[in-house]
Every structure is written in structure tokens, then in C-alpha cells.
Amino acid sequence: LVTLIIFLNYPLRSLPLYLDMKLDCKGGFVTLVWTDGRSQMDTSLLRLGSCFPTSLTDREAVFTVDFNDCNFRRLVTGKLLIYSNDLTYITPPNSVIPSYIDLIVCEYERPRGWYPQVYEPVFSTYGLEELVFHIGLMNADFSGPAESTKFPLGSIIAIMASVEQQTHQPLLLLIDECVAATTPELQPESSLYPLITNKGCLVDSKKSRSKFEPRRKTSEIRLSLQAFRFAVGGEVFIHCGLVAWDPNGLGNTKKACHYKDYGWELLDDPTHSSLCDCCESSCKARKMRDLVTGTHGAVQNVNESLRQASP
């Protein structure tokens, strides 16, 4: 079962009668056709998330894109799997057509037994001893544990993760994925809110003040997370996957990136922020750069969950 919802938001005026938009939600991708019956707009200026049209004419723009591309947002509720994105049109100077944003939404019935693959338990290590990971809520200056787990909307939640290196060579700690959920254990019925996705991209930083803080040591990573509107008034559990990696082995799938006014920035070396470019699409391993082998690091999902209770 596929349910289609289109929310339109025109800040200056409503959709002209001569414009037409058709959206077709498929199993793993979406096709959107935008038609201008009077050829008054430049269809090349349309964007679906981070994607350009896949085909263009003077009067029509067509997008045929996968949900894994274009920076689609995914929300899982009790019975629905929802993908959303923004269709934007930025007008050139002196244009008579105003800029606007359309919210494009595809809703699917949640498959029976569906479970987010990214949270399947993964663990591998190397060296003489197993690695020990920690994560917890901290006070505002990260000097000690948080005194409360209640945060008003808009406030900053300080989170710190670390790894005990023991006899291992120096390791760089990264947060691979992070999601807020309404349950202490991730279940098929859990409602999810993505925080860090795409192998280290802090996607929440694009719409909030969330950011990675400068490192004090490679075996720690600090995250300032702006309290978000999700299950307001109830408990929120934050589940993260941690990665301990070779400090010299950063790549598209081993990184910490957050969004600033000028674009994506790599936490550990802003001069190589190009590694973050894939945050707008899909971050995949590249041969000779991202070598996923037991000699480079360890990956483990954090079993304990952080709890946030909003007043």
C-alpha cells in the first residue's frame, strides 16, 4: 500500500493554474514530473533535495531518483515508513515568478518485521584486547555527567563518547550512525528521528545548532545536540553506533562531518572537507581509500541508550 501526500508551501502566492506536478512513489524510488504550461519559469532551476532534474525541456522537469539519494529524510512511525524531501525553485534576479519550496512526501505501509539495517549488531576488533566503548550525557562544559535528563526544546544536549584504547595503537573515535527513538531498544514499532546518518554525517546540523565539538583527544568525540521536537513530553532514547579507527584512515565512510553556513566541514581536518561531499547523496567506500579490514579499526553498536525526557 502506497499513500501519497504533497504539502505545498508558497510564501508569496499560490500555485498558478498553468503549473502541474505529478508524483509517483515507487518501491525504492520516486518519479516527479513538473510541467509549466506557459513556459514562464526556468525548469533548470528546480532541485529535489540536492539533486538536479534527470531530464529537462523548456516546459518540463523530470526527477527519477532513489530514496538513498538527494538527501531524502526517512521517518519511521508505528505503521508507516515515510520519505520526504524539498522541491525548491530559486528564481533568477528580476524574475516575475517568486521562489518557493514544496514538501514532497511518500508514505508506505511499514513492512511486517521491517528493521533498519544500519542497527544490525556489528563487531570486529584487532589487537591483544577487546575495545571498551562508553557514551553518556554530560553537563554543559563536558566536565562531568549531566545532572538531569530533562531538556527544554532548543536547549543543548552535551553527549560524549569514548573508547578505552588499552594496549591498542592510537585510535580515532567516530560516530557512524545515531538515531533518536521512542523505545529503549530498537524495535520494528519504534518511531525514529535520524541524527547522524550516511557514515558520520550529522544531518541534524543542517536544520539546528547541533555540531561536533573540537577534539581533546582522538579516543573521544563530543557532540552538542540541540533538543529537537520529537515525542515531546515523553522519553527519548538515543542509540548510536561507534567506530574506533586508524587516525590516518579517514575516508567517505569513516569521518565526522557537520554542516555550517558555508557547507559541510570535516571535524578532524577542514582542509579535506571534500570527504563530506557525499553527505548530500550516499557515502560509499572507495577502493584504495576506505579499506574496511580488521587491521584498521573496530565497529560496535552502543548497547546502552541515552534517555532524554522533554518537559
Side-chain angles (χ1 to χ4, degrees):
L1 174 65
V2 177
T3 304
L4 169 63
I5 301 177
I6 304 175
F7 294 95
L8 302 181
N9 178 20
Y10 293 91
L12 298 182
R13 63 184 183 184
S14 61
L15 179 67
L17 295 176
Y18 54 84
L19 295 182
D20 179 51
M21 180 168 62
K22 297 180 181 179
L23 184 65
D24 188 8
C25 299
K26 302 292 187 180
F29 66 96
V30 61
T31 297
L32 184 149
V33 181
W34 181 271
T35 305
D36 176 11
R38 297 185 185 175
S39 300
Q40 292 189 356
M41 58 187 293
D42 183 352
T43 54
S44 68
L45 298 178
L46 285 165
R47 301 288 184 271
L48 182 57
S50 59
C51 286
F52 290 73
T54 51
S55 65
L56 281 172
T57 67
D58 291 340
R59 297 187 179 186
E60 187 177 82
V62 178
F63 296 86
T64 301
V65 294
D66 192 278
F67 287 129
N68 293 322
D69 300 326
C70 308
N71 203 28
F72 269 90
R73 300 177 292 270
R74 183 180 67 186
L75 177 64
V76 184
T77 66
K79 296 182 178 180
L80 294 176
L81 178 61
I82 303 170
Y83 292 92
S84 64
N85 212 333
D86 297 322
L87 178 69
T88 60
Y89 180 71
I90 306 300
T91 57
N94 303 319
S95 174
V96 297
I97 301 177
S99 299
Y100 52 78
I101 299 176
D102 296 348
L103 179 61
I104 306 301
V105 180
C106 289
E107 287 190 357
Y108 298 86
E109 182 178 349
R110 188 171 184 166
R112 183 181 300 273
W114 185 90
Y115 197 80
Q117 293 183 356
V118 69
Y119 302 109
E120 292 178 357
V122 177
F123 183 76
S124 61
T125 187
Y126 70 101
L128 301 178
E129 301 178 58
E130 292 185 350
L131 300 178
V132 179
F133 294 86
H134 302 280
I135 190 168
L137 296 173
M138 307 295 290
N139 56 24
D141 61 359
F142 292 89
S143 61
E147 297 179 357
S148 173
T149 61
K150 293 185 177 181
F151 301 92
L153 289 174
S155 64
I156 297 299
I157 305 170
I159 299 174
M160 185 170 74
S162 63
V163 58
E164 294 181 17
Q165 299 186 148
Q166 302 183 46
T167 58
H168 291 270
Q169 68 182 61
L171 294 171
L172 183 71
L173 185 66
L174 302 167
I175 302 178
D176 193 49
E177 309 281 345
C178 208
V179 65
T182 54
T183 55
E185 300 292 337
L186 289 174
Q187 304 291 340
E189 65 271 18
S190 302
S191 293
L192 305 180
Y193 180 89
L195 300 169
I196 299 175
T197 65
N198 219 352
K199 304 299 182 181
C201 301
L202 180 54
V203 292
D204 193 60
S205 63
K206 290 199 69 174
K207 53 187 175 182
S208 71
R209 293 184 290 130
S210 298
K211 62 179 180 178
F212 289 111
E213 297 291 346
R215 289 189 190 268
R216 300 295 180 88
K217 56 178 71 173
T218 61
S219 59
E220 290 181 357
I221 190 165
R222 300 182 177 191
L223 173 64
S224 289
L225 188 68
Q226 186 174 14
F228 43 90
R229 186 176 294 277
F230 176 70
V232 175
E235 291 185 332
V236 176
F237 300 84
I238 301 179
H239 305 256
C240 299
L242 304 180
V243 177
W245 206 250
D246 180 354
N248 297 317
L250 290 177
N252 291 68
T253 61
K254 298 294 181 293
K255 62 191 184 304
C257 299
H258 50 193
Y259 194 85
K260 295 191 174 182
D261 292 340
Y262 48 81
W264 288 98
E265 181 181 278
L266 185 67
L267 170 65
D268 297 290
D269 188 354
T271 63
H272 287 82
S273 293
S274 59
L275 292 178
C276 303
D277 291 347
C278 63
C279 288
E280 295 291 346
S281 54
S282 180
C283 296
K284 300 177 181 179
R286 296 180 179 178
K287 293 181 179 180
M288 305 305 294
R289 170 170 279 183
D290 297 323
L291 302 178
V292 185
T293 67
T295 60
H296 280 256
V299 180
Q300 179 172 307
N301 282 2
V302 179
N303 295 324
E304 63 269 27
S305 301
L306 310 182
R307 184 172 62 186
Q308 175 204 349
S310 302

